[in-house]
Amino acid sequence: HKASIEKDVVGLVVGTRPDCLPKRILDKFAELSEEQYLSVELGVQTFDDHQLNFLSRGHDSITSIKAIQKLKSLQNVNICVHLMFGLPNETDRQIQQTAQFLSELGVNGVKLHNLHVLRNTGLEKLFQESKFFPIKLEEYARRVAIFLENLSPKITVHRLAAVASRWDQLVAPQWTREKMRPTQFIDDYLEKNQIWQGQKF
């Protein structure tokens, strides 16, 4: 059905993976974007191949880059990239470069998440064996600030932190249970340190 014939629908938002964009899907996106607003949310998470392997994503960074470029070529499609902070061996430089890279690619928006541990996952096993330590809120806020100050002010930030969708399955960190406090904490951190989006862009 075309969204335009549904009186209460003004557009579509589609979530997908970088490795799930065959030509027929791109052609359909091109068709839809000519008729109505279309946003595609892309689960990139990181551009570091070692971290993608740690997450068992099943795709590499080149696939993510090509996916963004393909969507960008459609012109009318709004592109929102999901990123994850708190990954093993993450560095300030990596976060800075990610912000600069996404700015150069010209994405429209980003959603930020923190890696958190859920029950009955491989990550929980690593956590129980003290081989993975979830990021603390204070450190997460610092990394988000690094990202934001290097990000183009033209890019919309849709989300600053993850919220556990299944509280009964959350193992750590406990601050991921909270919906508003992490966002407010990050806002306060930015204000206290006089940091704003695009400051170093």
Side-chain angles (χ1 to χ4, degrees), residues 129-142:
E129 295 172 352
S130 298
K131 294 178 180 178
F132 172 75
F133 301 94
I135 195 169
K136 294 182 179 179
L137 179 55
E138 294 78 6
E139 175 59 18
Y140 179 76
R142 190 186 70 81

Side-chain angles (χ1 to χ4, degrees), residues 140-150 186 189-190 195:
Y140 179 76
R142 190 186 70 81
R143 295 188 196 185
V144 169
I146 292 171
F147 177 78
L148 291 178
E149 66 184 358
N150 287 282
I186 294 167
Y189 179 92
L190 294 172
I195 298 170

